[in-house]
Amino acid sequence: MKKVLLVACLVIGMHFGANAQEYKVITSVESIIPSGLGRSRIINALEDKDYKEFTSVQTAEDNTRNKSKRGNIRVKNFEETKLLNFFNLGGIRFQNIAANDAMLSSMINDMVANGWELAFVNSAVESNAGEDDQQGIFITRYIFRK
């Protein structure tokens, strides 16, 4: 009876352990600055950070602040893969967009081959779009899980 109970506990424990998921975020930043002056990259952090180390609790009674320095948040180990800019001197470059798509497809396929599943994709454009706006980025976050 003890052996059956032990085996049942092990099976249940393995089941819960198998359901644990890990997430990884990879970001692409593509320049939308005219004349090709921007920088476009795929960024992949190679180290983990625990957000709790940099989180503080704010209450009306006690204004407790986290004493860690902002510089400690920085990740110093990361991969930076070059991409092409959306624009050059002639305007929008569709070849560059196709080249970036090929690079991103390669990155996604590599992640999938290494056991990751593409779970979510979020994107946004940052540009103030004011008069003579000369700056902006198109940012995409690829969220993988396994």
Side-chain angles (χ1 to χ4, degrees), residues 46-101:
L46 298 177
E47 60 187 72
D48 293 326
K49 293 287 181 175
D50 182 358
Y51 80 96
K52 293 175 189 172
E53 293 180 29
F54 307 99
T55 301
S56 60
V57 176
Q58 309 292 319
T59 64
E61 300 86 32
D62 178 33
N63 194 3
T64 306
R65 294 202 180 266
N66 188 316
K67 303 294 185 206
S68 64
K69 296 182 180 176
R70 290 174 53 97
N72 294 339
I73 297 173
R74 284 194 175 77
V75 171
K76 295 178 178 126
N77 299 307
F78 64 95
E79 292 177 334
E80 181 179 271
T81 304
K82 292 182 181 180
L83 295 174
L84 299 174
N85 298 328
F86 282 168
F87 293 98
N88 68 7
L89 291 173
I92 192 165
R93 290 286 296 181
F94 296 105
Q95 279 182 313
N96 290 5
I97 294 170
N100 288 358
D101 287 351

Side-chain angles (χ1 to χ4, degrees), residues 127-139:
S127 179
N128 71 16
E131 187 176 324
D132 297 323
D133 180 18
Q134 296 293 307
Q135 297 186 28
I137 59 170
F138 184 79
I139 186 168

